[in-house]
Amino acid sequence: QVLRNPLATAVVFEEEAISYRELDESSSHLANYLISKGLQPGENIGLFSHRSKEMIIALFGILKAGCVYVPFNTDYPEERLKYIIEDSGITHVLYTDKLSRLSGLTDCQNIYLQDSLSSSGLAQTISIDINSPAYSMYTSGTTGSPKGIVVTQRNIIKLVYDTGQIAVTDQDRVLQWSNYSFDGSVYDIYSSLLKGASLHLIKDSWASDVYQLSRVIKEQKITVCFITTALCNSFIDTDPGVLKNLRKILFGGEKDSAYN
C-alpha cells in the first residue's frame, strides 16, 4: 500500500513531481495491465529503466500484481542481460522508455509502461504471503557467474519499520542515490514511500558528480541520504556546508574525511 497522505508529494524528479494518489493510481494501472497479460503472482519480471518517476511506478505496479521485479542496469551488456533472463526464467520485460537495446532481447515479451494507462486504475486484491519474494538482484559476478539474491516482502518491511537510528519519517526528503539494481536503493525507495516521505531522484549521470548532487541537496532541501564513504568524503573535502541541513547521512565501510 503506497497511499498515505494522498495529496503529499511522493516522488520528485527534476521539475516533475507526483503525489501519493498519482503513484497509487498509476501503479494500479500497471498492475492490472500485467494481470491482463497473464502474469501470475510470484513470477519474475525484468525491469529496464532509467531513473525516473516511471521507474518508481513500475516497481510498485509489479509488486501490486504480486510479481517479482528483477532490475536491469541500463549499462549492463546484452550478454549479461540474456544470462539474467535465462537464469531467472523471465518471459516478460517491462520498460519505461523507448530503449533500443531491448531489440536484442527477442526471447521475451516486451511490455511498455505507457501502454498500461488504458487499464483500470482500481487496485485489485492479490493474495501473497509476507514471505513471498519482492525482488531479485544479481551480484557483480566478479568471483564467478552472477547470482540472483532473492529478497522477500518481510525483508523490506523489517528494513522500513525496524530501523532504529536510521528510521525515516513522513517529514523527510530522501535522496534516491543508489542505482535501482543495487540493494542501497531499497532503503532509499521503501523507507521513503512506505513512511510517507518524499523521494527525490537524480539523473543517472549525476550519481558521482558532487557538484550536481550538492545542487540537488540544496534546492530540494534533502534531509536524508545513503551514499558511499568516498562520495561523503568528496562532499566534506569540497563543500562541507552542503551537508549542514541533512538530518541523517548514511555511509559505511571506511573512515570519512571528518575523522582523518
Side-chain angles (χ1 to χ4, degrees):
Q1 174 61 274
V2 299
L3 190 62
R4 297 181 70 82
N5 177 353
L7 299 181
T9 297
V11 180
V12 178
F13 180 61
E14 296 189 285
E15 301 303 317
E16 297 181 293
I18 58 173
S19 68
Y20 273 89
R21 174 174 289 164
E22 291 170 312
L23 174 57
D24 190 50
E25 291 176 352
S26 296
S27 56
S28 290
H29 281 299
L30 176 58
N32 290 327
Y33 188 69
L34 295 175
I35 292 168
S36 74
K37 289 288 185 180
L39 286 152
Q40 299 295 316
E43 188 168 348
N44 289 335
I45 301 178
L47 176 57
F48 203 52
S49 179
H50 291 297
R51 244 183 274 222
S52 61
K53 60 183 176 61
E54 288 79 14
M55 179 189 83
I56 303 300
I57 291 168
L59 295 179
F60 278 93
I62 290 171
L63 292 175
K64 280 187 174 186
C67 296
V68 183
Y69 69 87
V70 183
F72 294 168
N73 191 312
T74 55
D75 291 332
Y76 285 166
E78 190 172 295
E79 294 74 20
R80 181 180 174 92
L81 293 177
K82 288 181 175 179
Y83 171 84
I84 293 173
I85 287 169
E86 181 178 352
D87 186 66
S88 57
I90 289 172
T91 58
H92 294 73
V93 175
L94 172 66
Y95 61 104
T96 61
D97 47 16
K98 294 294 186 181
L99 298 168
S100 60
R101 291 183 58 225
L102 278 174
S103 61
L105 306 179
T106 55
D107 293 336
C108 292
Q109 182 176 338
N110 294 333
I111 298 175
Y112 184 32
L113 177 66
Q114 193 72 14
D115 292 340
S116 69
L117 296 179
S118 59
S119 294
S120 170
L122 296 176
Q124 293 195 39
T125 300
I126 301 295
S127 179
I128 57 172
D129 187 86
I130 194 171
N131 293 312
S132 298
Y135 65 85
S136 179
M137 289 184 182
Y138 274 73
T139 61
S140 63
T142 53
T143 58
S145 298
K147 297 176 178 62
I149 307 302
V150 178
V151 174
T152 67
Q153 304 272 348
R154 182 187 296 275
N155 296 145
I156 294 177
I157 291 171
K158 181 173 177 59
L159 173 68
V160 171
Y161 293 103
D162 188 23
T163 50
Q165 293 300 310
I166 64 171
V168 169
T169 76
D170 61 4
Q171 300 301 306
D172 279 316
R173 302 162 74 91
V174 180
L175 181 69
Q176 207 286 286
W177 180 80
S178 296
N179 188 288
Y180 80 138
S181 64
F182 297 102
D183 57 6
S185 66
V186 178
Y187 172 81
D188 297 340
I189 294 168
Y190 297 107
S191 291
S192 302
L193 298 177
L194 297 184
K195 297 293 284 291
S198 60
L199 182 68
H200 296 254
L201 280 65
I202 59 171
K203 288 184 176 180
D204 292 327
S205 60
W206 294 354
S208 58
D209 188 332
V210 69
Y211 299 103
Q212 287 286 9
L213 291 173
S214 294
R215 180 185 61 79
V216 172
I217 289 171
K218 290 176 182 177
E219 292 180 357
Q220 301 296 334
K221 298 181 174 60
I222 299 299
T223 62
V224 176
C225 67
F226 181 22
I227 55 179
T228 63
T229 306
L231 183 56
C232 184
N233 287 342
S234 295
F235 282 121
I236 293 170
D237 296 341
T238 58
D239 183 13
V242 74
L243 304 177
K244 66 180 181 180
N245 292 322
L246 285 165
R247 190 174 70 83
K248 292 185 183 295
I249 307 172
L250 283 70
F251 59 89
E254 55 187 304
K255 285 186 178 180
D256 68 278
S257 295
Y259 293 98
N260 293 338

